Amino acid sequence: MLEVRGVQARYGDAQALWGVDLDVAAGEMVCIVGPNGAGKTTLVKTIAGLHAAAAGSVRMDGVELTAVPGHKVCDYGVATVPEGRRVFGHMTVRDNLLLGAYRRAARRVYRETEEEVYRLFPRLRERQGQLAGSLSGGEQQMLAIGRALMARPRLLLLDEPSLGLAPVIVDEVFDALAAVTRTGMGVLVVEQDVQRALEACGRGYLLIEGRIVTAGTTEALRSTDEVRQRVLGM
Amino acid sequence: MTATAGTTTAGSATAGTGAPKTVGTIPRGLLVLIGVSALVAVVATFSSDLGLASYHLVLISTVLFWATQATSWNLLSGFAGYFSFGQGAFLGVGVFTMAVMAGRNDVNYLLAIPVGGLLAGVLAFVIGAVAFRLRSLRGEIFALLTLAVPFILGSIALNTRSIDGGLGTTIPTPDRPDWVPSFQHLMVLLNLGAATIAVAVALAVYHSRLGRGLAAVHDAEDAAEVVGVPTFRYKMTAIVLGGVLGGMSGAIFAMMLGYVEVPVVFVLYIPLFIILICVAGGRRHWAGPLIGAALLVVLTEWFKVAKLDQYRDIVLGLLLVGIVVIAPDGMFGRLRRHPWIALVTFLVVAGGLLASGYYAELDALLYGMAASVVVTTLAGLPRVERLWRRQATSDSPAAPAAAPGPGTGAGSATRSSTGFAAPPPPPPGGRVLVSVEGVTKDFGGVRALDNVSFDVTEGEIVGLVGPNGSGKTTMVNLLCGAMQPTAGAITIDGRAIKGLAPHRVAHAGVARTYQIPKPFTSMTVRDNVAMAVMFGRTGASYAEARQRAEQCLATVHMQHLADALPESLNLHQRQLLEMARAIAAEPAVLILDEAFAGLNPAEIDDAVAVIRRIHASGVSIIIVEHRLRVLQQLATRIVVLNRGTLIADGAPSTVLNDAVVVQAYLGRQRA
Amino acid sequence: MNTVQVVLSGAMLGGLYALMAAGVSVTWGVLRVINLAHFGLILLGAYLTYQLVTIWRVNPLVTLVVTVPALFVLGALLQWAYDRLNIVEFNSLLVSFGLLIVMIQVAQNIWTADHRELPRDINPFDTGSLSLGPIVLPYDRLVCLGLAVLLLGGGHLALQRTFVGRGMRAFAEDRTVAASFGIDHRRLSVLLGGAAGASAGIAGMAFMLGNLIQPSHAYEWFGIVFAVVILGGLGNLLGTLFAGISVGALSGLVGVLWSHAYVPIAVFAAIIVALVLRPQGVFVRRRAV
């Protein structure tokens, strides 16, 4: 479904990605792990059209996305859960969710999607009228995921969903992602919490200093010394 | 005619010597200024012998008056970038001081002028004290607040009988000494005096610590604070100086008006015209307002004479829009590159038109200026420039930027010598430089740091690590005084820093770099570093500071880029610049915040070598970093934060094998 | 009783301030454009109302049919240009100031600097008033307040309840994330600019009901309108409405208790106090963290 080929990205003179290839199929959860500063966030932003690729191609079901402006990428079925959640703190929980359904195709069915999101995260239903800024970190993460789901994407991009969350909450988040994957959605997770990511995902990529170093099933990855070595430096 | 020629000369004289700014420029600039002023004074005094009509004197007075106001405004708003609409208020205070003292109470005008300056200075002090104390104050809000001040003063004046009361005041024709032939001559001399003082002040400020500090505030205010610039005091000084000068000149303005009433003085047109002058002329240099005043006053006078008054504001408004959109730096930057072309074009065109006899003086002046602007702009086009200037590299300040990718080359040389895998030096059991005791920091309801304690001893390189959101950046901000802890205490070299302003913490011996470099964009690499020396603990002079900056640049291998502007550097070089600026302050402790972010492996190795050199020169270092691999090579000790608490503190090898740390980094171990 | 009367009629006049402030507040809050040219649009709205009423001899409210679409287009064009040239924050202050001067001069060249007012025989709101016991409520101010409640209340609801409104609020908070959900800043700018322009047309009409107009009035609105904008909180229409009414009432109160001369000082002091205590605006729901 998602095909990334030879993507390069830079910030001014600093090159962050040096030719990245990766694939995500419908109904699978794939993770990208790697140490901080490896370019994981840049990769997510580049796929989501929020950062221009310097070279290479990003295709979604065969449609080239690198030329599509950032605000149109969601029309091709890609929704993002950004790093640090970035919920709209001055808006209510429900408003945040409805904003997710901003694009026309999603607007038509927003009531049904909203129900699905509440079923996935019952806590959000309880907090509907509350300002998103007043939620706890875990609830905000659920809201950010729910907001992305409201756009009815075929591919969900998540950047560091476990960041700053208590382990119990992280479990909940990954359970929800697994449930989403079972509906046939593709999920691409960027994670610093290597263990957790490898546990939850079917396949994974190890990204180091802007390059994919190893790829494969998470079983295989887990046994690679390289992961332990390169991420921890031991 | 004379006035404008005079100002252009003043501008071009410094422009010629402007590129290598040495201390010698102050006296030289002052000499030129005094010379020009004397020339104008002589021409004005003997104007009738030279065949100048009284109308010319009025024009000279007007140019001088607006030049004074614009120069005063520029001290704060141009140099430091805090736009103010309040200059009209200072001017107004001066006007009404003259009206009340000379107009209503028969006090000598020579007394009223300084009193006007004094009162306006007091007003400026009050505005500054209120506005600059507001922590959340952004530039736009400052501008809008100052917008209100003239209106408030206007309504007070209108409703106070002893000031105006809606009646207006006639200023009596002033007595003048015998050697001054007429009232208009007196006005020229008074305005000339005020303008000379104002420009002298601007010139002195521009070349002084104050001026450099204000420029740093303009470029990056928080970085300025960190290198030790007392920003509040400097901004106050600038606004008060601008107030005093504006008030004095306003008092003279009252005499020019002859009859003073509120609707003439407290109008938006006045601050607007001042802003327009400076935006058109150029705000970062003291000469910008002079050029702007000459251009715009002649332009508006031309409209008046041509009886096109009803189009004047349309043209001025569009001019403001056009300049902001097309040439936000103003004319000065363009004229300074080709001062002689500018002057010669102006003299030839204006002189030629005058000599032809078909054109009035004003037309000739305006067309001359327009031609000068057009020609210098054209001459500034790269293609044209290449035609006539072959050795373009010799005096263009941005040229050395072309130097090829330096970091890697220099780095590879040192890499072998430093010994890449060499174990870090053992920590000497010296004195404690930084002591963090039970520090807690809350943001709203979120606890970013929870009861964290650790020490840094002299000679150590401490790695401060932790996953994203673990509180590292908060810790850095607390250490350099940008934030205050909710609980707990931090001491630097035995001195508690609680409640100290960031620049005082800097003087206590803390220097930092930013993850995203914040260079002073208007200054060369050398001057960026020199700023930190000047405003550091020792407070060296500019010349000394530049010399010491060379040494600091040598430490980071950046000497060859000393004359480049920051915008031409790549990320690695900018981070090296951050380090050079930080060590220039001669800190006891240097905090490096993610100094390797975004660098490629070769650049990281280079940066590691630089950090080793800095450490070898006797600076203790705290490195905030994600990459444990780098820290293993570099740090003598590692402190690990996770979710705001300290979870490990010890030698790199022990810490990196600690189960808790592994879990924080790799996540929960599989059961 | 006099005090109550003054405060009430001040509060009603506050409706006019709120109408004027709405456009400034929304473009500043959402698009980060401080549009001083908005005052020029209000001026234009007022003069257009005057012109149309004098020619057609109709009720001033009817002229909105023409002025609102006209100013919508003008406002939209203006924001489109700002967006295109990427003029925000400080530069927008300067550029729009330049445009404002141009607009004032144009108005002066067309309608001269003399006072203009709606012909008294056609303006049904000019002299009449509603009497509630001893309290007299002049019609023109009632209309101002009514329009303000309608327009700002309606705008508030639109911002709260519609998809586009939510998009605007989201855009104001975090442009990047908003864009990733399909919000196009160009269309948003044009739409918001148009809405602000339309509100300027209504404000201009409302001003004409009980006042004389003169080109230099645009400058005189500055102080009080920005006070309302800052007190109300950027981009917050309900806050702007309450701030307008409060500033109006405060002005009335200060005027009757001390002197009219102290009104600007009182308002200015209120802004300073507000900036110190509540930098995000007084009439803003406090954000729970």
Side-chain angles (χ1 to χ4, degrees):
Chain A
M1 182 172 58
L2 176 75
E3 297 173 342
V4 177
R5 292 290 174 267
V7 160
Q8 301 193 22
R10 49 173 63 107
Y11 292 96
D13 294 315
Q15 181 135 9
L17 296 178
W18 302 78
V20 172
D21 297 338
L22 66 84
D23 295 272
V24 180
E28 81 169 333
M29 173 142 59
V30 175
C31 64
I32 301 171
V33 296
N36 245 299
K40 291 175 302 196
T41 296
T42 311
L43 182 55
V44 170
K45 283 191 184 161
T46 311
I47 296 173
L50 298 175
H51 187 85
S57 89
V58 175
R59 283 165 183 275
M60 185 71 191
D61 288 330
V63 182
E64 181 60 53
L65 290 187
T66 44
V68 173
H71 67 269
K72 290 238 170 82
V73 168
C74 64
D75 286 336
Y76 296 91
V78 180
T80 319
V81 180
E83 182 180 5
R85 308 181 274 275
R86 287 167 81 167
V87 295
F88 301 108
H90 291 286
M91 292 165 55
T92 64
V93 167
R94 179 148 198 271
D95 279 350
N96 267 275
L97 289 179
L98 293 189
L99 181 98
Y102 189 84
R103 71 185 189 98
R104 244 164 245 295
R107 247 183 245 189
R108 281 196 287 271
V109 288
Y110 80 91
R111 283 175 203 284
E112 294 82 23
T113 331
E114 199 186 353
E115 269 311 305
E116 287 167 29
V117 169
Y118 287 149
R119 236 174 287 139
L120 197 61
F121 298 116
R123 213 138 12 132
L124 293 183
R125 194 199 299 271
E126 292 162 27
R127 312 238 176 224
Q128 273 188 57
Q130 221 168 306
L131 287 188
S134 70
L135 298 182
S136 73
E139 290 164 342
Q140 289 192 6
Q141 186 63 64
M142 293 172 194
L143 178 57
I145 295 173
R147 181 179 64 182
L149 291 176
M150 289 296 290
R152 299 210 73 96
R154 279 167 289 140
L155 174 72
L156 192 61
L157 296 174
L158 296 104
D159 194 356
E160 308 271 8
S162 76
L163 198 72
L165 300 185
V168 197
I169 308 288
V170 180
D171 286 339
E172 235 174 284
V173 167
F174 274 98
D175 288 347
L177 290 180
V180 166
T181 316
R182 282 194 291 277
T183 66
M185 203 179 290
V187 178
L188 180 62
V189 194
V190 158
E191 236 331 322
Q192 210 182 4
D193 189 337
V194 181
Q195 290 288 350
R196 176 88 58 175
L198 293 183
E199 253 172 60
C201 297
R203 283 192 307 119
Y205 295 86
L206 175 60
L207 185 73
I208 289 179
E209 274 151 12
R211 293 184 177 85
I212 299 283
V213 184
T214 317
T217 62
T218 45
E219 291 298 324
L221 275 182
R222 209 176 290 137
S223 58
T224 342
D225 281 348
E226 186 146 29
V227 175
R228 195 177 164 77
Q229 207 176 11
R230 297 302 288 271
V231 177
L232 246 182
M234 298 190 248
Chain B
M1 162 84 206
T2 359
T4 37
T7 47
T8 327
T9 329
S12 56
T14 24
T17 55
K21 282 175 227 101
T22 55
V23 189
T25 34
I26 306 179
R28 202 193 301 182
L30 277 178
L31 270 181
V32 171
L33 175 66
I34 292 167
V36 170
S37 299
L39 186 70
V40 176
V42 168
V43 168
T45 315
F46 299 104
S47 63
S48 41
D49 303 321
L50 292 166
L52 290 175
S54 157
Y55 167 74
H56 296 121
L57 294 178
V58 176
L59 183 63
I60 295 173
S61 291
T62 315
V63 170
L64 288 171
F65 165 72
W66 288 111
T68 312
Q69 288 296 342
T71 304
S72 332
W73 178 89
N74 211 40
L75 289 175
L76 176 74
S77 303
F79 290 175
Y82 274 84
F83 259 61
S84 142
F85 287 94
Q87 191 65 30
F90 305 146
L91 183 155
V93 167
V95 167
F96 279 95
T97 308
M98 180 60 79
V100 171
M101 290 181 73
R104 298 191 172 197
N105 295 304
D106 279 333
V107 182
N108 190 315
Y109 63 90
L110 285 176
L111 186 61
I113 293 174
V115 171
L118 195 72
L119 291 178
V122 171
L123 175 69
F125 184 86
V126 173
I127 295 175
V130 172
F132 296 138
R133 282 282 181 218
L134 292 178
R135 295 199 93 200
S136 58
L137 188 94
R138 293 182 301 179
E140 306 98 83
I141 305 262
F142 176 75
L144 291 175
L145 282 183
T146 54
L147 189 62
V149 178
F151 286 100
I152 291 176
L153 290 185
S155 96
I156 294 177
L158 205 52
N159 290 283
T160 312
R161 287 195 158 265
S162 53
I163 299 174
D164 182 89
L167 303 168
T169 309
T170 308
I171 314 278
T173 314
D175 303 326
R176 55 176 191 275
D178 295 337
W179 54 272
V180 178
S182 76
F183 171 72
Q184 290 307 342
H185 287 83
L186 181 68
M187 287 300 102
V188 170
L189 291 176
L190 284 177
N191 275 306
L192 181 66
T196 310
I197 295 173
V199 176
V201 166
L203 189 70
V205 168
Y206 181 77
H207 287 289
S208 69
R209 297 169 71 79
L210 176 60
R212 290 179 201 287
L214 292 173
V217 167
H218 186 294
D219 289 344
E221 187 161 356
D222 40 1
E225 268 178 2
V226 170
V227 301
V229 177
T231 52
F232 177 74
R233 187 148 49 86
Y234 276 18
K235 287 186 285 187
M236 287 299 288
T237 313
I239 195 174
V240 169
L241 279 177
V244 171
L245 291 169
M248 281 170 44
S249 152
I252 301 169
F253 186 56
M255 300 168 69
M256 290 164 76
L257 288 174
Y259 177 73
V260 170
E261 53 182 346
V262 171
V264 178
V265 178
F266 291 112
V267 283
L268 263 180
Y269 179 75
I270 287 178
L272 169 77
F273 195 61
I274 293 168
I275 289 174
L276 189 56
I277 286 173
C278 294
V279 171
R283 284 160 285 164
R284 301 301 295 266
H285 194 271
W286 60 268
L290 298 181
I291 291 172
L295 275 171
L296 284 168
V297 170
V298 169
L299 183 68
T300 46
E301 289 296 313
W302 183 84
F303 272 104
K304 203 186 279 172
V305 171
K307 300 245 180 320
L308 293 171
D309 260 345
Q310 71 269 38
Y311 299 112
R312 182 194 66 183
D313 281 4
I314 296 180
V315 171
L316 289 186
L318 291 178
L319 210 58
L320 181 58
V321 175
I323 291 170
V324 172
V325 173
I326 300 163
D329 293 335
M331 289 323 304
F332 177 72
R334 286 160 198 246
L335 294 179
R336 123 183 259 177
R337 298 189 65 188
H338 308 288
W340 295 112
I341 300 186
L343 189 63
V344 168
T345 316
F346 170 74
L347 288 178
V348 167
V349 174
L353 291 179
L354 266 186
S356 75
Y358 292 108
Y359 292 87
E361 295 92 332
L362 210 54
D363 294 340
L365 270 184
L366 186 66
Y367 298 150
M369 287 178 177
S372 173
V373 166
V374 169
V375 169
T376 34
T377 309
L378 283 180
L381 294 176
R383 189 177 294 178
V384 183
E385 196 162 43
R386 236 177 290 136
L387 284 179
W388 68 279
R389 179 184 277 194
R390 288 208 195 115
Q391 74 298 16
T393 42
S394 59
D395 56 347
S396 148
T408 39
S412 56
T414 43
R415 204 180 301 160
S416 50
S417 63
T418 349
F420 198 50
R431 105 198 121 100
V432 172
L433 277 181
V434 178
S435 153
V436 176
E437 281 174 39
V439 163
T440 295
K441 175 73 185 171
D442 292 337
F443 292 105
V446 180
R447 180 151 290 190
L449 284 176
D450 190 6
N451 196 17
V452 173
S453 305
F454 65 92
D455 289 341
V456 177
T457 318
E458 200 169 16
E460 282 193 297
I461 301 184
V462 173
L464 184 60
V465 303
N468 263 341
S470 59
K472 299 185 303 278
T473 304
T474 310
M475 193 70 238
V476 172
N477 284 330
L478 291 173
L479 283 173
C480 68
M483 291 176 186
Q484 297 294 328
T486 313
I490 298 175
T491 35
I492 306 288
D493 210 359
R495 187 172 169 197
I497 62 164
K498 185 159 189 142
L500 288 185
H503 73 270
R504 300 243 178 246
V505 178
H507 290 175
V510 178
R512 74 168 290 187
T513 65
Y514 286 93
Q515 180 178 1
I516 298 155
K518 292 185 181 175
F520 303 125
T521 45
S522 67
M523 305 178 196
T524 63
V525 165
R526 184 190 289 110
D527 282 0
N528 260 278
V529 179
M531 286 297 295
V533 182
M534 280 175 81
F535 291 98
R537 281 187 281 187
T538 48
S541 74
Y542 180 55
E544 285 168 39
R546 280 167 66 90
Q547 275 178 358
R548 258 197 281 147
E550 292 287 345
Q551 296 164 14
C552 298
L553 286 173
T555 308
V556 302
H557 288 325
M558 289 256 293
Q559 310 96 304
H560 58 290
L561 290 171
D563 291 311
L565 286 174
E567 61 181 7
S568 65
L569 302 182
N570 68 30
L571 181 69
H572 177 44
Q573 292 163 338
R574 282 183 206 202
Q575 263 155 354
L576 291 179
L577 171 58
E578 283 275 307
M579 288 188 206
R581 196 167 70 180
I583 56 172
E586 299 188 14
V589 188
L590 170 62
I591 305 173
L592 301 171
D593 188 5
E594 311 257 345
F596 306 115
L599 301 189
N600 68 36
E603 289 170 338
I604 290 178
D605 292 341
D606 186 41
V608 167
V610 167
I611 293 169
R612 288 238 169 93
R613 274 199 299 280
I614 293 172
H615 180 240
S617 72
V619 180
S620 306
I621 294 175
I622 299 175
I623 305 183
V624 177
E625 184 50 49
H626 295 293
R627 256 166 279 221
L628 300 177
R629 183 172 68 87
V630 179
L631 284 184
Q632 213 173 9
Q633 292 173 34
L634 207 52
T636 58
R637 194 153 60 86
I638 288 185
V639 173
V640 187
L641 292 177
N642 189 34
R643 295 176 213 282
T645 54
L646 189 146
I647 59 169
D649 179 355
S653 51
T654 359
V655 167
L656 293 182
N657 289 315
D658 186 296
V660 187
V661 177
V662 172
Q663 189 183 333
Y665 254 79
L666 272 187
R668 179 193 48 165
Q669 289 290 341
R670 251 171 94 82
Chain C
M1 201 30 88
N2 185 27
T3 313
V4 176
Q5 168 73 51
V6 169
V7 169
L8 262 183
S9 77
M12 288 189 292
L13 190 60
L16 180 61
Y17 303 149
L19 273 177
M20 291 178 167
V24 177
S25 178
V26 168
T27 47
W28 190 355
V30 177
L31 302 175
R32 293 188 292 149
V33 171
I34 309 170
N35 189 15
L36 295 183
H38 190 77
F39 296 96
L41 295 179
I42 299 174
L43 197 69
L44 215 57
Y47 273 115
L48 277 180
T49 309
Y50 159 78
Q51 197 67 55
L52 294 176
V53 168
T54 351
I55 297 173
W56 293 347
R57 305 193 66 78
V58 289
N59 185 313
L61 289 175
V62 176
T63 62
L64 289 179
V65 178
V66 176
T67 54
V68 166
L71 285 164
F72 183 97
V73 172
L74 218 56
L77 269 176
L78 211 54
Q79 288 300 336
W80 176 82
Y82 291 149
D83 187 67
R84 257 313 160 81
L85 298 169
N86 196 19
I87 297 171
V88 290
E89 288 168 356
F90 215 91
N91 281 343
S92 71
L93 196 60
L94 288 180
V95 167
S96 63
F97 202 170
L99 292 176
L100 175 63
I101 308 162
V102 174
M103 292 160 101
I104 290 175
Q105 184 68 57
V106 168
Q108 188 160 331
N109 290 355
I110 300 177
W111 289 287
T112 76
D114 298 337
H115 285 116
R116 300 285 165 141
E117 63 177 323
L118 297 181
R120 282 167 185 258
D121 51 325
I122 325 170
N123 184 357
F125 310 104
D126 187 36
T127 45
S129 58
L130 184 70
S131 299
L132 294 174
I135 293 175
V136 182
L137 306 175
Y139 280 137
D140 63 301
R141 296 192 174 192
L142 268 177
V143 173
C144 284
L145 185 64
L147 281 174
V149 170
L150 238 120
L151 201 74
L152 277 80
H156 177 76
L157 281 182
L159 278 178
Q160 291 298 321
R161 299 282 162 84
T162 66
F163 275 96
V164 175
R166 265 182 227 112
M168 287 180 185
R169 284 187 293 141
F171 188 77
E173 260 194 68
D174 190 330
R175 308 187 145 208
T176 323
V177 175
S180 78
F181 285 100
I183 289 151
D184 179 359
H185 64 100
R186 220 158 260 169
R187 286 177 57 184
L188 206 67
S189 293
V190 169
L191 194 64
L192 254 185
S199 81
I202 295 172
M205 191 279 300
F207 180 83
M208 285 311 287
L209 294 180
N211 297 282
L212 310 168
I213 185 83
Q214 192 184 6
S216 63
H217 270 133
Y219 292 137
E220 287 159 26
W221 297 327
F222 265 41
I224 216 141
V225 168
F226 272 110
V228 172
V229 168
I230 293 172
L231 289 173
L234 302 183
N236 180 345
L237 286 180
L238 218 50
T240 306
L241 182 61
F242 287 131
I245 292 172
S246 309
V247 166
L250 177 74
S251 309
L253 194 65
V254 171
V256 72
L257 289 186
W258 291 286
S259 146
H260 236 68
Y262 296 121
V263 169
I265 303 173
V267 173
F268 187 68
I271 301 179
I272 297 283
V273 171
L275 281 175
V276 172
L277 298 181
R278 302 285 305 268
Q280 72 277 46
V282 173
F283 297 92
V284 178
R285 183 144 63 128
R286 191 186 285 269
R287 179 182 176 184
V289 180

